[in-house]
Structure formats: C-alpha cells, structure tokens
C-alpha cells in the first residue's frame, strides 16, 4: 500500500522538475579517452546485418589470435588507433631530433661542436630501415588516417542527418556534414605542410641534386638564416609553433586531458546535474591553461637551442658554402 502511494508522488516531483528546467541548446557531451567509436548503425543496416552477425568459433579464434577480437568495431575505431600508434613512432624520431638540434647546441653553444652529435643520431633514424619506419610511414599513415576519419565521419553524418531516409534535409553545399574542425586538426594540417617543406629543403633537395645529404647539417641551416633570414625565421617559426602545439595537444588527447579542456562557462539552469557540471569549469580552464603552457614551453625550449644558437651560427665559407648557395637557389620562390 505504501509503495503504491509513493509512485504518484515521485512522478509528480519528476514532472515539476522537468517543467522548471530552462530550455538550453543541446551540446555534444565531453568525450573521454576511450570514446573513439562508430555511431550506432541505422535500423535498415542493423536488420540487413543480422544474418551475418553470428561468427563461427573458428573465425572468433582466428580474430583473437590476430588481435582483432573486438567484434562490432568499425572503420572509425581502427583508424583512430592507427592514427594514435603512428604518432608513437614519430615521437621517437622527434625526441632524437629535439636533442640534436636544440639541447646539444644549447649546451655546446657552437654549431661545429654539435654537428658530430647530429651525425651520430642519423645512424639511428636515417638508415634504409629506420627512416621509413620512424619518419616516412608514420607521417603518411598519421595524416592519411586523419583525412580518412574526417571523410568517414562526414559520410556517417550525411546518411543520418541529411539523407531522406533519415528524415533530414538534403545536402546543399560541400560544407554540410563535416565534423568539427578542432585546434588539433588545424595545427596538424599546418604542421604537415611545414614539415613537408622542411623535409624537402633538408633531405629531398640534397638527394635530388647531390645524390646524398652527407654535407647537410646544422651549418646548412645556419647558412640559410644568413642568406635568407626572413624566409628562414618564418619557416622555422611556423614549424616549431605548429609542430609543438600539435604534438602536445595530441598527447593530451591520447591521455584523455584535451577532451575536458575548455574556457566556456556553463549556465545555471536549476538542475542539480547541470549544476555539478558547472562547478567543473575551474578544472577545465586549468587544464586548458596547463596544456597551452606545456605547448608554449616545448616550442620555446626547441627555439632556444635551434633558433638561439643554430640560427646565429653564421654562414659557411669555401666550397661548402657555394654548395649551400646552389641548393638554396633551387628552392622554388626563394
């Protein structure tokens, strides 16, 4: 009897709380570190896939042995992980490159004294085997999987929100259906362009003209700052700023820190759940400031040795200096 009398009262309290709740725009929930998953399938897709949704014991054991036992995961799930693990390999190269182009010059305070350490590091990441595994393939896979993810997510959005079957509006422009263009994505594409130019000048051009890059080192970079100061400062400034920002924010995303970083303030609505979320705004702002501080510190740390020492190393004289002049003369638009 008592339980039956409580039901109308509880329903009435729920209705009153819903009436008092102020309307507000629906926002996307915060994404955690393990939420890179596919959208649920459409009803027609679900019905058509029921006939083939029961794998045999043999196929399950085979998938488990290959490390693909996570049944039900689609292309977005695996592309996200490919993009993540490719960044691990490139981070090994970036750490070595940071040490030989910034830390060691900063300690040695001399370009000639730092050249031997750069040549030593090249024996690690510039061999016929390690260069494609640590530099070439990770970059291509990382950028390619990022582009594929955006295209795939747009395709899913169009099928759900813009197609006639989903009850949405038809696609009117090429801008419809795209996922949000985040700072990580924007800095990543900018970093890819700067990195491609850096690789072309310091690796591709010497290989194409001289047949190797044995004479290319810190002195080559310092010579470029003397001969073409404006272009060099702009190019390396963009490379360091975009690169450090993208890598720091990318690692923050892998650790689940970037998803909760925001400067936006939630509005009080009278609802207890929304109120608890509003109290987290201080933590979100501190997280945003922390990530940006680390990114600025990383770029500044690289610039202190790279731009503060190497860029001021002076020009190279003799036949090597003429070799450098000939290489820089081949750069289009320089």
């Amino acid at each position: 009897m008592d339980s039956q009398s409580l039901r109308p009262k509880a329903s009435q309290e729920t209705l009153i709380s819903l009436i008092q709740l102020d309307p507000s725009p629906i926002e996307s929930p915060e994404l955690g570190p393990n939420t890179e998953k596919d959208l649920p399938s459409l009803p027609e897709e679900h019905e058509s896939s029921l006939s083939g949704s029961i794998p045999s014991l043999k196929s399950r054991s085979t998938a488990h042995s290959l490390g693909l036992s996570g049944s039900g995961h689609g292309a977005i799930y695996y592309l996200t992980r490919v993009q993540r693990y490719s960044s691990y390999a490139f981070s090994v190269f970036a750490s070595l490159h940071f040490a030989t182009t910034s830390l060691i010059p900063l300690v040695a305070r001399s370009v000639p004294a730092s050249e031997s350490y750069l040549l030593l590091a090249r024996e690690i990441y510039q061999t016929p085997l390690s260069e494609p595994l640590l530099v070439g393939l990770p970059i291509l896979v990382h950028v390619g999987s990022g582009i594929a993810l955006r295209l795939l997510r747009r395709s899913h959005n169009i099928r759900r929100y813009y197609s006639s079957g989903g009850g949405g509006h038809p696609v009117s422009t090429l801008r419809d259906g795209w996922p949000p263009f985040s700072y990580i994505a924007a800095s990543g594409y900018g970093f890819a362009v700067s990195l491609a130019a850096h690789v072309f000048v310091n690796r591709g051009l010497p290989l194409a003209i001289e047949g190797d890059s044995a004479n290319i080192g810190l002195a080559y970079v310092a010579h470029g700052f003397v001969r073409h100061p404006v272009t060099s400062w702009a190019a390396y400034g963009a490379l360091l700023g975009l690169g450090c920002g993208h890598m720091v924010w990318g690692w923050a995303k892998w650790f689940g820190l970037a998803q909760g970083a925001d400067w936006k303030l939630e509005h009080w609505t009278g609802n207890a759940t929304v109120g608890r979320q509003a109290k987290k705004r201080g933590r979100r702002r501190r997280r945003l400031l922390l990530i940006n501080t680390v990114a600025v510190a990383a770029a500044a740390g690289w610039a202190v040795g790279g731009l503060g020492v190497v860029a001021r190393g002076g020009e190279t004289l003799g036949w090597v200096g003429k070799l450098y002049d000939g290489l820089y003369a081949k750069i289009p638009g320089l």
Side-chain angles (χ1 to χ4, degrees):
M1 185 67 180
D2 294 338
S3 61
Q4 292 179 355
S5 63
L6 291 175
R7 291 178 183 175
K9 183 177 180 180
S11 301
Q12 184 178 7
E13 292 178 353
T14 303
L15 179 60
I16 293 174
S17 63
L18 291 176
I19 294 175
Q20 293 177 347
L21 181 63
D22 294 333
S24 61
I26 298 177
E27 298 180 354
S28 300
E30 291 185 9
L31 297 177
N34 299 317
T35 55
E36 300 94 348
K37 56 181 70 176
D38 298 290
L39 293 173
S41 58
L42 293 171
E44 60 271 17
E45 294 176 349
H46 181 70
E47 294 175 359
S48 62
S49 63
L50 288 177
S51 59
S53 62
I54 306 177
S56 63
L57 294 176
K58 180 178 180 181
S59 62
R60 286 186 178 183
S61 61
T62 304
H64 181 74
S65 63
L66 294 175
L68 302 175
S69 57
S71 59
H73 296 306
I76 291 180
Y77 176 88
Y78 292 109
L79 282 173
T80 302
R81 275 143 186 82
V82 167
Q83 188 182 41
R84 175 173 184 166
Y85 298 139
S86 63
S87 66
Y88 294 173
F90 183 77
S91 296
V92 175
F93 160 75
S95 300
L96 291 172
H97 207 54
F98 170 71
T100 55
T101 61
S102 179
L103 292 182
I104 293 177
L106 182 61
V107 174
R109 307 299 299 177
S110 171
V111 170
S114 306
E115 291 281 15
S116 58
Y117 296 96
L118 178 63
L119 295 176
L120 182 62
R122 285 180 177 176
E123 296 298 325
I124 300 176
Y125 63 77
Q126 210 172 81
T127 66
L129 178 62
S130 61
E131 188 172 23
L133 291 179
L134 294 178
V135 185
L137 287 178
I139 293 175
L140 294 176
V141 170
H142 192 76
V143 176
S145 58
I147 296 175
L149 278 170
R150 288 191 61 81
L151 294 174
L152 191 59
R153 282 168 174 156
R154 181 179 187 261
S155 176
H156 286 186
N157 290 340
I158 289 176
R159 293 168 63 187
R160 280 168 173 80
Y161 308 120
Y162 293 90
S163 63
S164 57
H169 300 285
V171 178
S172 58
T173 64
L174 292 176
R175 296 179 296 178
D176 292 336
W178 290 103
F181 199 62
S182 64
Y183 168 80
I184 301 179
S187 62
Y189 290 119
F191 178 44
V193 175
S194 299
L195 184 61
H198 179 71
V199 172
F200 169 76
V201 172
N202 292 273
R203 183 68 171 150
L205 193 62
L207 286 176
I209 297 178
E210 298 295 328
D212 60 52
S213 58
N215 294 316
I216 305 303
L218 300 178
Y220 174 67
V221 177
H223 191 82
F225 273 92
V226 174
R227 296 296 190 186
H228 310 281
V230 176
T231 304
S232 297
W233 281 100
Y236 281 94
L239 180 66
L240 293 182
L242 293 172
C244 292
H246 180 72
M247 287 187 285
V248 170
W249 271 94
W251 276 102
K253 180 181 178 181
W254 300 148
F255 282 111
L257 299 176
Q259 290 83 353
D262 196 0
W263 196 259
K264 180 179 59 177
L265 295 176
E266 295 87 354
H267 297 285
W268 176 256
T269 61
N271 182 270
T273 302
V274 179
R276 286 192 297 269
Q277 293 177 356
K279 293 180 181 179
K280 298 179 181 179
R281 62 180 180 268
R283 185 188 310 170
R284 298 166 118 185
R285 285 187 168 187
R286 287 193 299 269
R287 185 174 294 182
L288 178 69
L289 291 174
L290 175 63
I291 298 174
N292 284 332
T293 301
V294 174
V296 172
W302 207 318
V304 166
L307 301 181
V309 177
V310 177
R312 302 175 185 274
E315 64 177 323
T316 302
L317 304 177
W319 69 272
V320 178
K322 294 181 180 179
L323 172 66
Y324 293 164
D325 289 333
L327 290 175
Y328 281 112
K330 298 293 184 179
I331 300 177
L334 190 61

